[in-house]
Amino acid sequence: MNATVKCTLLIILGVEIIIGCLGNGFIAVVNVMDWAKRRKISLVDQIFTALAISRLAFVWSLLTVLFISELYSALMRTRKVLIIFNNSWTVINHFNIWLATCLSIFYFLKIANFSNSIFLSLRWRVKTVVSVTLLMSLLLLFVNVLVINTFIVISVDVYKVNTVTLTIFLLLIFSLWTHLKNMQHNAKDSRDPSTTAHIKALQMMVTFLLLYTIFFLALVMQSSKMKFLSSTVFNYFFEVISLAFPSGHSCVLILGNSKLRQTFISTVWWLKSSFNAAELPGP
């Protein structure tokens, strides 16, 4: 039974790795090619590109850990290797989360409609807000890495904090989902482009928060002291859940962005035409 479940989880994990690599690689390549062609790149495309690269690093780092754990499990128990992997994972995961956060801040400032003077000031300075957010996150990254290297063996009971954080995410998802349903109901007979863009941005934010909540829950479960987590099957199970965030969200970004979506459709049609042409018999 365990062998069957493990095999199934490995297949799902392999599919997620392929989707994560292809999806994030596609986003990075399209934006870099567009940048080289136009000699300029928008703020949202900069975030998209950096996020895609960080997620590629996330997927490959996870694949590396799984590979070493299976073939050279003794290495994972040495202090030096643990420090290297902890630092690498911390840095990669930091940029993965904070770049996604900056993307959500960008969409929030663009789609929200408040008359408050502070909000309007932030909206006009969205590039500065995103840049300052990233710079502040670098300070948190420095502190985080310092703590990891100084106190490599620390037992902290963060269960209650994690529970409160997860509750906040769930409440935010519920609030945005309710707002999205109201928007869709009110705009059912409307063809206003701004309303349509607003709804699409809300859909992307709700999906991001939902995927991140699942990802966060997987991390909490892995870091807890539950006895069943020592099982290899459960380790693979939580790896599958963790990869759903960077892999699934890349598909959401492609489908939610008009340039990426159109390029993806054109690429699919080109591949289909090339495949059909290759199957035609010669004269």
Side-chain angles (χ1 to χ4, degrees):
M1 181 65 180
N2 282 344
T4 304
V5 175
K6 182 179 178 180
C7 184
T8 304
L9 291 174
L10 281 174
I11 293 173
I12 297 174
L13 196 61
V15 172
E16 287 183 334
I17 289 172
I18 293 172
I19 293 175
C21 290
L22 291 178
N24 290 296
F26 176 82
I27 293 173
V29 169
V30 169
N31 284 328
V32 169
M33 289 180 64
D34 188 63
W35 183 15
K37 180 181 178 181
R38 300 176 183 273
R39 301 296 178 184
K40 62 180 181 179
I41 184 170
S42 64
L43 175 61
V44 66
D45 285 343
Q46 291 179 36
I47 300 174
F48 269 33
T49 306
L51 182 58
I53 293 173
S54 72
R55 283 177 171 172
L56 282 172
F58 178 89
V59 172
W60 280 103
S61 65
L62 183 59
L63 188 60
T64 302
V65 170
L66 289 175
F67 179 78
I68 295 177
S69 298
E70 284 293 322
L71 299 182
Y72 308 100
S73 57
L75 282 176
M76 297 300 296
R77 292 190 290 268
T78 62
R79 179 183 175 85
K80 184 177 181 180
V81 172
L82 281 176
I83 291 176
I84 292 174
F85 275 118
N86 281 336
N87 286 333
S88 301
W89 177 261
T90 300
V91 173
I92 292 171
N93 197 43
H94 174 90
F95 284 108
N96 184 22
I97 297 301
W98 278 97
L99 286 169
T101 302
C102 287
L103 185 63
S104 297
I105 291 173
F106 175 86
Y107 278 117
F108 172 75
L109 292 176
K110 287 294 184 182
I111 67 175
N113 189 20
F114 299 117
S115 58
N116 184 276
S117 59
I118 297 177
F119 174 81
L120 292 175
S121 177
L122 293 175
R123 189 174 190 175
W124 293 331
R125 297 171 176 84
V126 60
K127 188 172 183 178
T128 303
V129 172
V130 171
S131 300
V132 170
T133 302
L134 279 177
L135 287 175
M136 291 298 293
S137 75
L138 291 178
L139 177 61
L140 295 176
L141 175 62
F142 174 76
V143 174
N144 199 3
V145 172
L146 185 64
V147 169
I148 287 175
N149 286 278
T150 306
F151 309 102
I152 192 65
V153 182
I154 297 183
S155 176
V156 182
D157 185 12
V158 294
Y159 177 76
K160 293 181 179 179
V161 177
N162 288 332
T163 303
V164 171
T165 306
L166 188 59
T167 303
I168 291 172
F169 270 116
L170 292 174
L171 289 174
L172 184 56
I173 290 172
F174 177 75
S175 177
L176 286 174
W177 179 260
T178 305
H179 179 51
L180 175 60
K181 286 298 181 182
N182 291 334
M183 286 288 299
Q184 289 175 331
H185 177 73
N186 295 331
K188 190 173 293 183
D189 300 324
S190 174
R191 296 186 179 180
D192 183 16
S194 62
T195 303
T196 303
H198 187 97
I199 291 175
K200 285 184 177 180
L202 275 175
Q203 289 173 339
M204 291 178 67
M205 288 186 68
V206 169
T207 307
F208 160 72
L209 287 171
L210 183 61
L211 288 172
Y212 179 70
T213 300
I214 296 172
F215 171 77
F216 182 79
L217 182 61
L219 291 182
V220 171
M221 295 288 287
Q222 279 185 309
S223 61
S224 66
K225 299 177 181 179
M226 296 183 182
K227 293 181 181 180
F228 66 81
L229 291 180
S230 59
S231 170
T232 304
V233 172
F234 279 101
N235 285 334
Y236 281 127
F237 175 72
F238 288 117
E239 298 294 354
V240 166
I241 295 177
S242 299
L243 261 182
F245 175 52
S247 299
H249 194 230
S250 65
C251 299
V252 174
L253 293 179
I254 292 173
L255 296 176
N257 183 271
S258 58
K259 181 183 71 174
L260 293 174
R261 184 175 63 251
Q262 291 170 4
T263 305
F264 175 75
I265 293 173
S266 300
T267 303
V268 171
W269 277 107
W270 178 80
L271 290 173
K272 185 178 180 181
S273 300
S274 301
F275 181 77
N276 291 335
E279 286 188 333
L280 292 176

